[in-house]
Amino acid sequence: MIQVAVNGYGTIGKRVADAVTLQPDMELVGVAKTSPNHEAELAAENGYPLYAAVEDRIELFDAAGIELAGTVDELVDAADIVVDACPSGIGAENRPLYEAHDTPALYQGGEDADLVDTSFNARANYADAEGADHVRVVSCNTTGLSRLFAPLEEAYGVEKARVTLVRRGGDPGQTDRGPINDILPNPVALPSHHGPDVNTIFPDLSIDTLGLKVPATLMHTHSVNVQLDPDADGMPSADEVRELLAEEDRTFMIQSRHDIDGAGKLKEYALDRGRPRGDLWENCVWTESVSVEDDDLYLFQAIHQESDVVPENVDAIRAVLGTADAGESRERTDETMGMGL
Ligand code: NAD
């Protein structure tokens, strides 16, 4: 049994912790938190051993009546691997702690790529993480794009990708984020950081990205143009691309009969089907949007920023420890989580 620690029990951390408990080959040693808020109470209610992330805050947990199993130091020591799901930049500060215990660590997309041995996406470069000590599971947007580019690259070759990312202003719980009433080119200067981030997974891919931020919290939406390799043997039809994408385990092809016109209905769809927290782990591609004009492919996809990286973290654990190959790991993760809509 792989002993997994989760350091940082917020939006990503609590989802990863839940997913780890579903895995037949993993055990959650515990989760570390900085403050005794409602999420700390949730961890306790779930029976997850709770560790203090910051030693001089232990008394706050005592005062709140929340029992601690120990400090983050002890948690890391007891684990085979740590999933660091702390806010951007804190993962880098935590790296010496993991090194001191010789415990391999996964970091999230908010960390710099040069913090780690390799960036990771289960569909695109699983094997690169084997035996690595420090691995970054790429951001929600980069995960969504990597899952899309991997099959396109394999089937047709990609000459050039151009993506406009319409990004949610903040997560539903991030009351300090915005904009509230605006549409912001973000960043104004091109390219946005997303293209270079995709290149941490596909080093040779030619990609330009533009970003916007909008007053929405539910999901991101990508407007994608992929110029397929003109030297390939004939261009695929739109239907052939649809069939290719439908084969992908972490892609949900939205059909016109679903009558889903945006993120609101997508979330409703997930909630109606009993998904925990209404999570959509899959890329959500509008089937009707898939179009091929000469050698250009176009489509829209929606990405649930709070959850698409969760199965990727589970797979990255097995990749780092070398306990399963990519296919086996993805299949086990998908089956236990209930992937597929
Ligand atoms: P979050 O703020 O929801 O959760 C972070 C948690 O870590 C909080 O509970 C916070 O109290 C805790 N924390 C703060 N300092 C800590 C410390 N020193 N030790 C332990 N815990 C500490 O953040 P999040 O949205 O879950 O993001 C975490 C990482 O995941 C970031 O790198 C982010 O870029 C990345 N990510 C976020 C999203 C998203 O949309 N939310 C998507 C993909 C990747």
Short mmCIF file of all heavy atoms in Angstrom, two decimals, residues 80-81 104-107 116-138 200-201 312-326 329:
data_model
loop_
_atom_site.label_atom_id
_atom_site.label_comp_id
_atom_site.label_asym_id
_atom_site.label_seq_id
_atom_site.Cartn_x
_atom_site.Cartn_y
_atom_site.Cartn_z
N ASP A 80 5.16 7.65 1.90
CA ASP A 80 6.01 7.26 0.77
C ASP A 80 6.10 8.39 -0.23
O ASP A 80 7.04 8.47 -1.03
CB ASP A 80 5.40 6.04 0.05
CG ASP A 80 5.36 4.81 0.95
OD1 ASP A 80 6.31 4.64 1.73
OD2 ASP A 80 4.37 4.06 0.87
N ILE A 81 5.08 9.26 -0.24
CA ILE A 81 5.03 10.37 -1.19
C ILE A 81 4.11 11.45 -0.63
O ILE A 81 3.14 11.13 0.07
CB ILE A 81 4.56 9.87 -2.59
CG1 ILE A 81 4.69 10.98 -3.64
CG2 ILE A 81 3.14 9.32 -2.54
CD1 ILE A 81 4.64 10.45 -5.08
N PRO A 104 9.61 11.66 -1.88
CA PRO A 104 9.28 12.31 -3.15
C PRO A 104 8.00 13.14 -3.04
O PRO A 104 7.15 12.85 -2.20
CB PRO A 104 9.08 11.13 -4.12
CG PRO A 104 9.10 9.90 -3.32
CD PRO A 104 9.57 10.20 -1.95
N ALA A 105 7.91 14.16 -3.88
CA ALA A 105 6.77 15.07 -3.76
C ALA A 105 6.19 15.43 -5.11
O ALA A 105 6.91 15.57 -6.10
CB ALA A 105 7.21 16.34 -3.03
N LEU A 106 4.87 15.59 -5.10
CA LEU A 106 4.16 16.15 -6.25
C LEU A 106 3.79 17.58 -5.90
O LEU A 106 3.36 17.85 -4.78
CB LEU A 106 2.86 15.39 -6.53
CG LEU A 106 2.93 13.88 -6.73
CD1 LEU A 106 1.53 13.34 -7.02
CD2 LEU A 106 3.87 13.56 -7.88
N TYR A 107 3.94 18.47 -6.84
CA TYR A 107 3.54 19.87 -6.66
C TYR A 107 2.45 20.17 -7.68
O TYR A 107 2.21 19.40 -8.61
CB TYR A 107 4.74 20.80 -6.87
CG TYR A 107 5.91 20.47 -5.99
CD1 TYR A 107 6.86 19.51 -6.39
CD2 TYR A 107 6.10 21.08 -4.76
CE1 TYR A 107 7.94 19.18 -5.58
CE2 TYR A 107 7.18 20.77 -3.94
CZ TYR A 107 8.10 19.81 -4.36
OH TYR A 107 9.16 19.49 -3.56
N VAL A 116 11.03 21.51 -10.37
CA VAL A 116 10.88 20.04 -10.38
C VAL A 116 11.74 19.36 -11.44
O VAL A 116 12.29 20.00 -12.33
CB VAL A 116 9.39 19.67 -10.64
CG1 VAL A 116 8.53 20.12 -9.49
CG2 VAL A 116 8.91 20.23 -11.97
N ASP A 117 11.79 18.01 -11.32
CA ASP A 117 12.51 17.22 -12.32
C ASP A 117 11.71 17.16 -13.62
O ASP A 117 12.27 17.16 -14.71
CB ASP A 117 12.74 15.80 -11.81
CG ASP A 117 13.41 15.78 -10.45
OD1 ASP A 117 14.30 16.63 -10.24
OD2 ASP A 117 13.05 14.95 -9.60
N THR A 118 10.40 17.05 -13.49
CA THR A 118 9.56 17.00 -14.69
C THR A 118 8.15 17.49 -14.39
O THR A 118 7.67 17.36 -13.26
CB THR A 118 9.49 15.57 -15.28
OG1 THR A 118 8.75 15.60 -16.51
CG2 THR A 118 8.79 14.60 -14.34
N SER A 119 7.51 18.08 -15.39
CA SER A 119 6.08 18.37 -15.30
C SER A 119 5.34 17.15 -15.82
O SER A 119 5.90 16.35 -16.57
CB SER A 119 5.74 19.61 -16.12
OG SER A 119 6.34 20.75 -15.53
N PHE A 120 4.04 17.03 -15.44
CA PHE A 120 3.36 15.75 -15.64
C PHE A 120 1.95 15.90 -16.17
O PHE A 120 1.18 16.74 -15.70
CB PHE A 120 3.29 15.02 -14.28
CG PHE A 120 2.58 13.69 -14.32
CD1 PHE A 120 3.27 12.53 -14.65
CD2 PHE A 120 1.23 13.60 -14.01
CE1 PHE A 120 2.62 11.29 -14.66
CE2 PHE A 120 0.57 12.37 -14.03
CZ PHE A 120 1.27 11.22 -14.36
N ASN A 121 1.64 15.05 -17.15
CA ASN A 121 0.25 14.82 -17.55
C ASN A 121 0.12 13.34 -17.86
O ASN A 121 0.91 12.80 -18.64
CB ASN A 121 -0.14 15.67 -18.77
CG ASN A 121 -1.51 15.29 -19.30
OD1 ASN A 121 -1.64 14.56 -20.28
ND2 ASN A 121 -2.54 15.76 -18.63
N ALA A 122 -0.88 12.69 -17.26
CA ALA A 122 -0.97 11.23 -17.34
C ALA A 122 -1.15 10.73 -18.76
O ALA A 122 -0.68 9.65 -19.12
CB ALA A 122 -2.11 10.72 -16.46
N ARG A 123 -1.82 11.48 -19.61
CA ARG A 123 -2.08 11.05 -20.98
C ARG A 123 -0.85 11.27 -21.87
O ARG A 123 -0.63 10.53 -22.82
CB ARG A 123 -3.28 11.83 -21.54
CG ARG A 123 -3.62 11.57 -23.00
CD ARG A 123 -4.05 10.14 -23.24
NE ARG A 123 -4.39 9.90 -24.62
CZ ARG A 123 -3.51 9.65 -25.59
NH1 ARG A 123 -2.22 9.60 -25.31
NH2 ARG A 123 -3.91 9.44 -26.84
N ALA A 124 -0.07 12.31 -21.55
CA ALA A 124 0.96 12.74 -22.50
C ALA A 124 2.37 12.27 -22.14
O ALA A 124 3.15 11.93 -23.04
CB ALA A 124 0.94 14.26 -22.64
N ASN A 125 2.76 12.31 -20.85
CA ASN A 125 4.17 12.01 -20.55
C ASN A 125 4.34 11.27 -19.22
O ASN A 125 5.28 11.56 -18.46
CB ASN A 125 5.02 13.29 -20.58
CG ASN A 125 4.75 14.19 -19.38
OD1 ASN A 125 3.70 14.10 -18.74
ND2 ASN A 125 5.71 15.04 -19.07
N TYR A 126 3.45 10.34 -18.94
CA TYR A 126 3.46 9.57 -17.68
C TYR A 126 4.86 9.04 -17.34
O TYR A 126 5.36 9.20 -16.23
CB TYR A 126 2.47 8.41 -17.82
CG TYR A 126 2.29 7.53 -16.61
CD1 TYR A 126 1.21 7.73 -15.76
CD2 TYR A 126 3.16 6.48 -16.34
CE1 TYR A 126 1.01 6.90 -14.65
CE2 TYR A 126 2.97 5.65 -15.23
CZ TYR A 126 1.89 5.87 -14.40
OH TYR A 126 1.69 5.06 -13.32
N ALA A 127 5.51 8.41 -18.33
CA ALA A 127 6.77 7.70 -18.05
C ALA A 127 7.88 8.66 -17.61
O ALA A 127 8.81 8.25 -16.92
CB ALA A 127 7.19 6.91 -19.28
N ASP A 128 7.79 9.94 -17.98
CA ASP A 128 8.84 10.90 -17.60
C ASP A 128 8.97 11.04 -16.09
O ASP A 128 10.01 11.47 -15.59
CB ASP A 128 8.56 12.29 -18.19
CG ASP A 128 8.71 12.31 -19.70
OD1 ASP A 128 9.11 11.28 -20.26
OD2 ASP A 128 8.42 13.36 -20.32
N ALA A 129 7.89 10.73 -15.36
CA ALA A 129 7.92 10.94 -13.90
C ALA A 129 8.49 9.74 -13.15
O ALA A 129 8.73 9.85 -11.95
CB ALA A 129 6.51 11.24 -13.40
N GLU A 130 8.69 8.64 -13.86
CA GLU A 130 9.16 7.42 -13.17
C GLU A 130 10.49 7.66 -12.48
O GLU A 130 11.46 8.10 -13.11
CB GLU A 130 9.26 6.26 -14.16
CG GLU A 130 7.92 5.55 -14.30
CD GLU A 130 7.91 4.54 -15.44
OE1 GLU A 130 8.99 4.04 -15.80
OE2 GLU A 130 6.81 4.29 -15.97
N GLY A 131 10.52 7.44 -11.17
CA GLY A 131 11.75 7.58 -10.41
C GLY A 131 12.12 9.02 -10.06
O GLY A 131 13.12 9.25 -9.39
N ALA A 132 11.34 9.99 -10.51
CA ALA A 132 11.66 11.39 -10.20
C ALA A 132 11.32 11.69 -8.74
O ALA A 132 10.44 11.06 -8.16
CB ALA A 132 10.87 12.32 -11.12
N ASP A 133 12.03 12.64 -8.14
CA ASP A 133 11.76 13.00 -6.74
C ASP A 133 10.79 14.16 -6.63
O ASP A 133 10.08 14.29 -5.64
CB ASP A 133 13.07 13.39 -6.04
CG ASP A 133 13.95 12.18 -5.81
OD1 ASP A 133 13.40 11.09 -5.57
OD2 ASP A 133 15.19 12.33 -5.90
N HIS A 134 10.80 15.04 -7.65
CA HIS A 134 9.96 16.23 -7.58
C HIS A 134 9.25 16.39 -8.92
O HIS A 134 9.90 16.55 -9.96
CB HIS A 134 10.82 17.47 -7.28
CG HIS A 134 11.59 17.33 -6.00
ND1 HIS A 134 11.04 17.59 -4.77
CD2 HIS A 134 12.85 16.89 -5.77
CE1 HIS A 134 11.94 17.35 -3.83
NE2 HIS A 134 13.04 16.92 -4.41
N VAL A 135 7.94 16.33 -8.88
CA VAL A 135 7.13 16.32 -10.11
C VAL A 135 6.02 17.35 -9.97
O VAL A 135 5.39 17.45 -8.90
CB VAL A 135 6.55 14.91 -10.35
CG1 VAL A 135 5.51 14.93 -11.45
CG2 VAL A 135 7.66 13.92 -10.68
N ARG A 136 5.77 18.10 -11.03
CA ARG A 136 4.71 19.11 -11.01
C ARG A 136 3.54 18.63 -11.88
O ARG A 136 3.72 18.41 -13.08
CB ARG A 136 5.26 20.43 -11.55
CG ARG A 136 4.28 21.59 -11.49
CD ARG A 136 4.93 22.84 -12.04
NE ARG A 136 5.07 22.74 -13.48
CZ ARG A 136 4.49 23.56 -14.36
NH1 ARG A 136 3.75 24.57 -13.94
NH2 ARG A 136 4.67 23.38 -15.65
N VAL A 137 2.39 18.45 -11.27
CA VAL A 137 1.19 18.15 -12.05
C VAL A 137 0.73 19.49 -12.62
O VAL A 137 0.44 20.43 -11.87
CB VAL A 137 0.09 17.53 -11.15
CG1 VAL A 137 -1.19 17.33 -11.94
CG2 VAL A 137 0.58 16.20 -10.57
N VAL A 138 0.71 19.59 -13.95
CA VAL A 138 0.48 20.91 -14.57
C VAL A 138 -0.91 21.44 -14.24
O VAL A 138 -1.80 20.71 -13.80
CB VAL A 138 0.72 20.88 -16.09
CG1 VAL A 138 2.20 20.75 -16.39
CG2 VAL A 138 -0.08 19.76 -16.76
N THR A 200 6.11 22.50 -21.46
CA THR A 200 6.78 21.66 -20.46
C THR A 200 6.35 20.20 -20.62
O THR A 200 7.01 19.29 -20.15
CB THR A 200 6.51 22.11 -19.00
OG1 THR A 200 5.13 21.92 -18.68
CG2 THR A 200 6.90 23.56 -18.78
N ILE A 201 5.23 19.98 -21.30
CA ILE A 201 4.75 18.62 -21.57
C ILE A 201 5.08 18.21 -23.02
O ILE A 201 5.47 17.09 -23.27
CB ILE A 201 3.21 18.54 -21.34
CG1 ILE A 201 2.85 18.96 -19.91
CG2 ILE A 201 2.68 17.14 -21.66
CD1 ILE A 201 3.31 18.01 -18.83
N GLU A 312 -5.09 13.20 -12.30
CA GLU A 312 -3.69 13.30 -12.74
C GLU A 312 -2.76 13.16 -11.54
O GLU A 312 -1.69 12.54 -11.63
CB GLU A 312 -3.44 14.66 -13.43
CG GLU A 312 -4.43 14.99 -14.55
CD GLU A 312 -4.35 14.04 -15.73
OE1 GLU A 312 -3.24 13.59 -16.07
OE2 GLU A 312 -5.42 13.73 -16.30
N ASN A 313 -3.15 13.73 -10.40
CA ASN A 313 -2.34 13.58 -9.18
C ASN A 313 -2.28 12.12 -8.76
O ASN A 313 -1.23 11.62 -8.36
CB ASN A 313 -2.92 14.44 -8.05
CG ASN A 313 -2.39 15.87 -8.05
OD1 ASN A 313 -1.33 16.15 -7.50
ND2 ASN A 313 -3.11 16.77 -8.69
N VAL A 314 -3.41 11.43 -8.85
CA VAL A 314 -3.44 10.02 -8.46
C VAL A 314 -2.49 9.22 -9.36
O VAL A 314 -1.69 8.40 -8.89
CB VAL A 314 -4.88 9.46 -8.54
CG1 VAL A 314 -4.90 7.97 -8.30
CG2 VAL A 314 -5.79 10.19 -7.55
N ASP A 315 -2.55 9.48 -10.66
CA ASP A 315 -1.66 8.76 -11.58
C ASP A 315 -0.20 9.12 -11.34
O ASP A 315 0.68 8.25 -11.45
CB ASP A 315 -2.03 9.10 -13.03
CG ASP A 315 -3.37 8.51 -13.43
OD1 ASP A 315 -3.75 7.46 -12.88
OD2 ASP A 315 -4.04 9.12 -14.28
N ALA A 316 0.05 10.38 -11.01
CA ALA A 316 1.45 10.82 -10.81
C ALA A 316 2.07 10.09 -9.62
O ALA A 316 3.27 9.81 -9.61
CB ALA A 316 1.51 12.33 -10.61
N ILE A 317 1.25 9.75 -8.63
CA ILE A 317 1.76 8.99 -7.47
C ILE A 317 2.33 7.66 -7.96
O ILE A 317 3.45 7.27 -7.62
CB ILE A 317 0.63 8.76 -6.44
CG1 ILE A 317 0.24 10.10 -5.78
CG2 ILE A 317 1.04 7.71 -5.40
CD1 ILE A 317 -1.02 10.03 -4.94
N ARG A 318 1.54 6.95 -8.78
CA ARG A 318 2.01 5.63 -9.27
C ARG A 318 3.19 5.79 -10.22
O ARG A 318 4.10 4.96 -10.24
CB ARG A 318 0.87 4.90 -9.98
CG ARG A 318 -0.25 4.51 -9.05
CD ARG A 318 -1.22 3.51 -9.71
NE ARG A 318 -2.40 3.36 -8.90
CZ ARG A 318 -3.56 3.99 -9.13
NH1 ARG A 318 -3.70 4.77 -10.19
NH2 ARG A 318 -4.58 3.81 -8.30
N ALA A 319 3.16 6.86 -11.01
CA ALA A 319 4.26 7.06 -11.98
C ALA A 319 5.57 7.25 -11.24
O ALA A 319 6.57 6.61 -11.56
CB ALA A 319 3.96 8.28 -12.86
N VAL A 320 5.56 8.12 -10.22
CA VAL A 320 6.80 8.42 -9.48
C VAL A 320 7.33 7.17 -8.80
O VAL A 320 8.52 6.89 -8.82
CB VAL A 320 6.53 9.54 -8.44
CG1 VAL A 320 7.66 9.63 -7.43
CG2 VAL A 320 6.34 10.88 -9.14
N LEU A 321 6.42 6.38 -8.21
CA LEU A 321 6.87 5.21 -7.45
C LEU A 321 7.02 3.97 -8.32
O LEU A 321 7.46 2.91 -7.86
CB LEU A 321 5.90 4.94 -6.28
CG LEU A 321 5.83 6.10 -5.26
CD1 LEU A 321 4.80 5.81 -4.18
CD2 LEU A 321 7.19 6.38 -4.64
N GLY A 322 6.65 4.10 -9.60
CA GLY A 322 6.85 3.00 -10.54
C GLY A 322 6.01 1.77 -10.24
O GLY A 322 6.44 0.65 -10.49
N THR A 323 4.80 1.98 -9.72
CA THR A 323 3.99 0.81 -9.33
C THR A 323 2.98 0.40 -10.40
O THR A 323 2.31 -0.62 -10.24
CB THR A 323 3.23 1.08 -8.02
OG1 THR A 323 2.38 2.22 -8.21
CG2 THR A 323 4.19 1.36 -6.87
N ALA A 324 2.85 1.19 -11.45
CA ALA A 324 1.93 0.81 -12.55
C ALA A 324 2.36 1.58 -13.79
O ALA A 324 2.96 2.65 -13.68
CB ALA A 324 0.49 1.16 -12.19
N ASP A 325 2.05 1.02 -14.98
CA ASP A 325 2.33 1.82 -16.17
C ASP A 325 1.16 2.75 -16.44
O ASP A 325 0.14 2.72 -15.74
CB ASP A 325 2.69 0.92 -17.37
CG ASP A 325 1.51 0.09 -17.87
OD1 ASP A 325 0.34 0.50 -17.65
OD2 ASP A 325 1.74 -0.97 -18.49
N ALA A 326 1.31 3.58 -17.46
CA ALA A 326 0.33 4.65 -17.69
C ALA A 326 -1.08 4.10 -17.89
O ALA A 326 -2.05 4.59 -17.29
CB ALA A 326 0.74 5.49 -18.90
N SER A 329 -2.54 2.54 -14.65
CA SER A 329 -2.85 3.55 -13.64
C SER A 329 -4.10 4.34 -14.02
O SER A 329 -5.00 4.53 -13.21
CB SER A 329 -1.67 4.50 -13.45
OG SER A 329 -2.00 5.47 -12.48
#
